[in-house]
Amino acid sequence: MNMDDDSAEIELLEQNLSKTHQISQKMTTILNSFDTRLARLEKSILPLYNSTQILNRRASNIEKALMKIDEVASNQEGIAAEEALILRGPQPAEFDVYKDALQRLNASIAFKASDQDTFDTARLIETGAKKLAQLYTKLVAEGSSGTTPAPGVEIVRAPFPSQLRSTLQPIVAFLRTLPVPSTHPSHPAAAAILTTLKEAQRGYADMRGTWGKKCLEAHGKRVVDRADTMEPIATGKELGIWVQSVLSVAREEYDLLTEMSTLASPSQLASHFGNLLNPLALLMSSIITSLVAFSKRSLQKYGFLILSAYEALLELQPMWDEIAVLRGSPDNRKETNEYKDVLQVVRMVCIRMFPEALADIKLSTAERTGDTSTALLDASVEVVQFLNNMQEVLVGSGDILSVVGDGNWKMGEGVVVKKQAIVEVSAQTLLEHFIYDVVLTIINTVSLIARTQRRPPFDSFFLLNNIAYLRKNILEPRQDSLIDYLTKPTQDVLNSNFRTAKASYLDANFSPLMQSLSDDPKEKGKAATKEKFTRFYDLLEEVLERHRLAKILEDDAESREAIGNDVIKFLIPSLKAFTQKQKEKEFSKSKHLCGSRVNCLPLR
């Protein structure tokens, strides 16, 4: 039973397997048919596929081209808008917009596809830089005009409104960022922008220099115009104050230039500061030269004006040196040292002062005022004034005397010899020596005039008046500073000549009175005694009359009283000795009468 069942299953399986094989054969036939059809289809589609790829590439290229066209059109529209903004120029309220536009253009230079695009953008950037430079120049011009300070007002800076300063600061800051060859060597607009910035900075220097000159000029001319009506030393000091204002303005202008300069390199600052300084330096030279020319008309009258100015200029020399350094090293520039040049001009005039002062004293012997004149010699008054003035300019005087050389001032009439001494002499010593020579020269001149041009006894009046005046006003100067330069020889020559002049005055005027009372063995008796008294009173009357005509120490009451006391001490003892020898009553009355007459002398 089991065997039959197995055989039946096996037979069934074989039948199924046969059917499966038949089906597989049919499927293989169908697949082979599909493969053949697919091969035929591929052959048919391949040309179409190839054509489609070509069309796709063309479509892609067309799309890219259209995108590029759109981009170019967009750029052209942007450039047109930027160009309109740039050409219009910066507006005060839209500076940031203008700055941003220039920055975009500047940044786009690196991404331009063609040289033409780069050139067009560079041209716009250059134009924008010029427009900004024009605005910069316009604002600087506004700040360098207007009402100047009144003459006589000391200034330390030329006016520049703070509001304009605030407006300029962002413009200057942006201008300094523009491309120039030193920072952007390959930028096509760098060279042109550098030229524009240089021109703007040169214009700034010219405008500020001219404005500074205009602010200072009126005061400088005022110093010159008032020179004839002011004290010479005061004028010289006023000039010094004005020169200090010039230097202060120059220093302040350098600081302003440093802040407002479109090119901040040290070489550019130095170069343009030199341009700015030139008008100020020329003005200073012109004013000082005018004052020198004015003073040279009468060096005797205006010499201390120039000497005072010279001292002030000496004190300001370090300030000028500091300013001169700011415009560059002298080795690297062609400009001359204007301050040194004008200082030398002033120095050469001052050098003439001291020899000519001594020469003028000696020339006073040529004055003809009458042989009975007892008035002060003009030279005596001038010497005292000269020494009093020297006290106020000792520094300048010492410096000039060191140039002249110890003793060379005695050459006179402006002739100066070169110093031959190797040992350097201090200013203190030079001043002491010069003052001694002045004192000795005036004393010798007064003595010579008294001997040769005055008739006795008026010569003694003249000599005493002048020597006493010199002694009092030199040993007791207007300022104590001169005392330090009055050496013992100087004091001794004044004191000894005063004693000599006083003795000469007493001898010439009162010795005849004493001689009239002297004992004479040949003249005895009452008649002779009366004759002596008569002669004495006649001579005394002559002395009184002479003193009424010829004044003694007219403007010095103290010294005149001292001389009066000396006269009494000189005369009264002899008169007393004479009257004591006379016992008669009438002569005692004469004694009192004589004393009262002596007291009538205009000396007390």
Side-chain angles (χ1 to χ4, degrees):
M1 196 62 185
N2 289 334
M3 289 294 293
D4 293 334
D5 292 337
D6 290 337
S7 297
E9 287 181 3
I10 291 171
E11 185 177 356
L12 180 61
L13 286 172
E14 286 178 354
Q15 291 176 0
N16 290 336
L17 180 62
S18 176
K19 289 179 181 179
T20 303
H21 178 73
Q22 291 175 2
I23 293 170
S24 297
Q25 287 295 326
K26 289 179 181 179
M27 289 179 65
T28 300
T29 302
I30 292 170
L31 288 174
N32 287 333
S33 175
F34 282 160
D35 187 54
T36 302
R37 290 176 182 179
L38 285 172
R40 288 198 299 267
L41 179 62
E42 183 179 0
K43 288 181 180 179
S44 300
I45 293 175
L46 182 60
L48 180 61
Y49 174 78
N50 291 335
S51 298
T52 302
Q53 289 297 318
I54 293 172
L55 291 174
N56 287 337
R57 285 196 297 270
R58 289 176 178 175
S60 177
N61 290 338
I62 291 171
E63 184 177 357
K64 289 179 179 179
L66 290 173
M67 290 176 63
K68 192 64 178 178
I69 291 172
D70 290 341
E71 181 183 350
V72 170
S74 176
N75 286 341
Q76 290 299 322
E77 291 176 1
I79 290 175
E82 301 282 28
E83 184 173 8
L85 176 62
I86 296 301
L87 294 178
R88 188 171 71 247
Q91 303 301 312
E94 299 178 355
F95 170 71
D96 289 338
V97 175
Y98 199 83
K99 179 181 74 172
D100 292 342
L102 274 177
Q103 287 177 331
R104 286 193 299 273
L105 289 172
N106 200 38
S108 68
I109 285 285
F111 304 102
K112 293 302 177 183
S114 67
D115 291 340
Q116 185 62 40
D117 291 341
T118 301
F119 175 79
D120 290 341
T121 303
R123 177 181 56 80
L124 273 182
I125 294 173
E126 178 186 342
T127 301
K130 289 181 178 179
K131 293 289 185 179
L132 276 177
Q134 290 171 3
L135 176 62
Y136 168 86
T137 301
K138 176 185 176 184
L139 293 174
V140 171
E142 289 178 9
S144 305
S145 60
T147 304
T148 60
V153 176
E154 183 180 354
I155 64 173
V156 296
R157 63 179 60 86
F160 194 82
S162 58
Q163 183 178 359
L164 282 178
R165 195 167 182 165
S166 300
T167 303
L168 272 169
Q169 286 171 344
I171 297 175
V172 171
F174 179 65
L175 286 173
R176 290 180 179 180
T177 65
L178 292 177
V180 293
S182 61
T183 58
H184 297 73
S186 62
H187 197 289
I193 290 174
L194 178 61
T195 301
T196 297
L197 296 181
K198 283 183 177 180
E199 290 176 354
Q201 192 157 313
R202 188 180 300 112
Y204 173 95
D206 291 342
M207 286 185 288
R208 293 304 297 173
T210 302
W211 175 238
K213 175 185 176 182
K214 188 176 180 181
C215 292
L216 292 159
E217 191 170 21
H219 189 181
K221 290 181 177 179
R222 179 175 180 265
V223 174
V224 177
D225 294 342
R226 298 174 62 201
D228 198 27
T229 58
M230 289 182 62
E231 287 292 327
I233 291 180
T235 301
K237 290 182 177 179
E238 186 179 8
L239 177 71
I241 293 172
W242 178 78
V243 171
Q244 185 174 11
S245 292
V246 174
L247 300 182
S248 296
V249 167
R251 188 64 182 83
E252 288 291 329
E253 284 298 325
Y254 179 81
D255 292 339
L256 186 61
L257 175 65
T258 303
E259 180 183 343
M260 296 294 166
S261 174
T262 58
L263 296 167
S265 67
S267 61
Q268 291 291 339
L269 283 174
S271 173
H272 290 99
F273 180 63
N275 294 336
L276 188 154
L277 187 61
N278 283 339
L280 302 180
L282 290 174
L283 173 65
M284 179 180 65
S285 299
S286 174
I287 294 298
I288 295 176
T289 302
S290 297
L291 208 56
V292 168
F294 169 81
S295 301
K296 288 169 71 174
R297 294 188 302 180
S298 176
L299 195 59
Q300 185 180 22
K301 182 178 180 181
Y302 300 113
F304 277 99
L305 185 160
I306 290 301
L307 187 58
S308 175
Y310 177 75
E311 182 174 275
L313 292 174
L314 276 182
E315 293 175 356
L316 294 171
Q317 176 83 53
M319 191 173 179
W320 167 263
D321 292 340
E322 177 187 347
I323 292 170
V325 169
L326 298 177
R327 68 174 181 178
S329 169
D331 297 332
N332 298 328
R333 57 180 173 82
K334 297 180 180 180
E335 292 90 340
T336 57
N337 190 327
E338 299 89 343
Y339 197 91
K340 181 180 178 181
D341 293 342
V342 77
L343 190 63
Q344 180 63 15
V345 171
V346 177
R347 182 185 290 115
M348 294 307 297
V349 177
C350 293
I351 286 173
R352 290 175 44 196
M353 270 187 62
F354 296 93
E356 289 187 12
L358 293 174
D360 289 340
I361 294 172
K362 295 175 183 178
L363 288 174
S364 60
T365 56
E367 294 181 11
R368 298 297 176 182
T369 57
D371 59 2
T372 61
S373 173
T374 62
L376 290 176
L377 191 66
D378 288 344
S380 297
V381 178
E382 290 165 1
V383 163
V384 169
Q385 184 64 39
F386 187 93
L387 295 179
N388 281 334
N389 287 336
M390 270 188 67
Q391 298 175 79
E392 300 187 40
V393 285
L394 289 172
V395 174
S397 298
D399 186 84
I400 293 299
L401 290 176
S402 67
V403 176
V404 175
D406 192 10
N408 289 339
W409 49 74
K410 290 187 284 190
M411 297 299 294
E413 299 184 3
V415 180
V416 181
V417 299
K418 295 182 178 179
K419 292 187 287 185
Q420 298 178 350
I422 298 177
V423 179
E424 184 176 349
V425 183
S426 68
Q428 172 85 19
T429 302
L430 290 169
L431 288 165
E432 291 173 353
H433 290 178
F434 177 75
I435 291 172
Y436 173 79
D437 287 338
V438 168
V439 170
L440 187 61
T441 301
I442 185 60
I443 287 176
N444 290 340
T445 299
V446 168
S447 300
L448 178 62
I449 292 175
R451 284 197 312 272
T452 60
Q453 299 183 22
R454 296 296 184 271
R455 174 163 55 87
F458 296 102
D459 58 344
S460 64
F461 281 76
F462 172 80
L463 185 63
L464 180 59
N465 280 341
N466 281 273
I467 298 298
Y469 174 81
L470 292 168
R471 175 177 174 271
K472 179 177 179 61
N473 287 279
I474 294 176
L475 295 184
E476 300 176 12
R478 187 172 61 193
Q479 297 180 17
D480 293 340
S481 56
L482 186 63
I483 296 176
D484 296 334
Y485 299 90
L486 299 177
T487 60
K488 189 175 185 303
T490 304
Q491 297 178 43
D492 289 346
V493 74
L494 284 166
N495 288 326
S496 64
N497 277 273
F498 174 71
R499 290 192 294 269
T500 300
K502 183 170 67 173
S504 175
Y505 164 76
L506 293 174
D507 182 65
N509 289 279
F510 301 103
S511 289
L513 276 75
M514 296 175 63
Q515 292 171 2
S516 68
L517 299 176
S518 60
D519 292 335
D520 188 350
K522 297 179 181 180
E523 297 180 353
K524 294 184 179 180
K526 185 175 180 180
T529 300
K530 286 185 176 181
E531 178 62 26
K532 288 182 178 182
F533 269 113
T534 301
R535 191 182 316 124
F536 177 86
Y537 285 126
D538 288 343
L539 292 172
L540 181 60
E541 193 62 37
E542 290 180 10
V543 171
L544 290 170
E545 183 62 27
R546 188 183 308 142
H547 278 77
R548 280 192 285 268
L549 295 175
K551 304 299 181 181
I552 190 76
L553 304 177
E554 185 175 11
D555 297 324
D556 188 355
E558 182 181 352
S559 297
R560 186 168 64 251
E561 183 177 357
I563 290 292
N565 292 333
D566 289 339
V567 169
I568 292 175
K569 293 176 183 178
F570 182 75
L571 187 60
I572 294 302
S574 298
L575 182 60
K576 285 184 177 180
F578 178 79
T579 56
Q580 284 175 357
K581 293 180 181 181
Q582 312 303 321
K583 305 299 182 182
E584 289 79 6
K585 186 176 181 181
E586 60 271 19
F587 292 129
S588 63
K589 293 180 181 179
S590 298
K591 169 185 173 182
H592 296 295
L593 179 61
C594 177
S596 64
R597 296 292 286 166
V598 170
N599 286 329
C600 289
L601 286 170
L603 297 173
R604 306 182 70 181

